[in-house]
Amino acid sequence: QVQLVESGGGSVQAGGSLRLSCAVHGYIRKTTCMGWFRQAPGKERERVARIDTSTGDKAYADFVKGRFTISQDNAKNSLYIQMNSLKPEDTAMYYCAAGCGRAADIFYWGQGTQVTVSS
């Protein structure tokens, strides 16, 4: 039974920082790709960043490049995303995800953690 549990969301002012964590419970056999998505009200879920947990290769959406950093800690079975220079448009529910590609291709989802950025 695989379970992804996010934490670290909250409310910050524009320009601030947050670090989200995702604890991975269970063994994920189907993919080595982990990442973060987000979904704002009325919008589609979109990928923010991903990492190949076997190679360490990372990829970011253009709208977070230079501001967000994805990382992993294999010893703790955890995934992180450091979010700096936050903008009001970063306000969304953030989800930890196992799988590459679009939201429809994801094997496992976390329950989400809310990030709110005020101007």
Side-chain angles (χ1 to χ4, degrees), residues 6 18 29 35 38 56-57 63 78 99 102-103 108 116:
E6 301 99 334
L18 282 173
R29 300 178 184 275
R38 72 184 187 186
D57 290 343
F63 51 79
S78 294
R102 304 166 302 163
Y108 303 101
T116 302

Side-chain angles (χ1 to χ4, degrees), residues 12-82:
V12 294
Q13 290 191 326
S17 299
L18 282 173
R19 185 187 191 221
L20 307 184
S21 300
C22 173
V24 180
H25 302 279
Y27 182 69
I28 300 175
R29 300 178 184 275
K30 296 182 180 180
T31 182
T32 59
C33 189
M34 298 290 296
W36 294 89
F37 281 73
R38 72 184 187 186
Q39 188 168 20
K43 294 189 176 181
E44 292 188 355
R45 195 169 294 192
E46 58 184 0
R47 184 179 287 278
V48 174
R50 63 175 172 83
I51 183 169
D52 187 312
T53 58
S54 62
T55 65
D57 290 343
K58 303 174 184 179
Y60 297 91
D62 287 343
F63 51 79
V64 302
K65 279 182 181 176
R67 301 189 298 124
F68 291 13
T69 303
I70 190 170
S71 63
Q72 61 178 350
D73 185 333
N74 291 334
K76 294 183 178 180
N77 231 20
S78 294
L79 182 73
Y80 306 96
I81 189 162
Q82 177 68 42

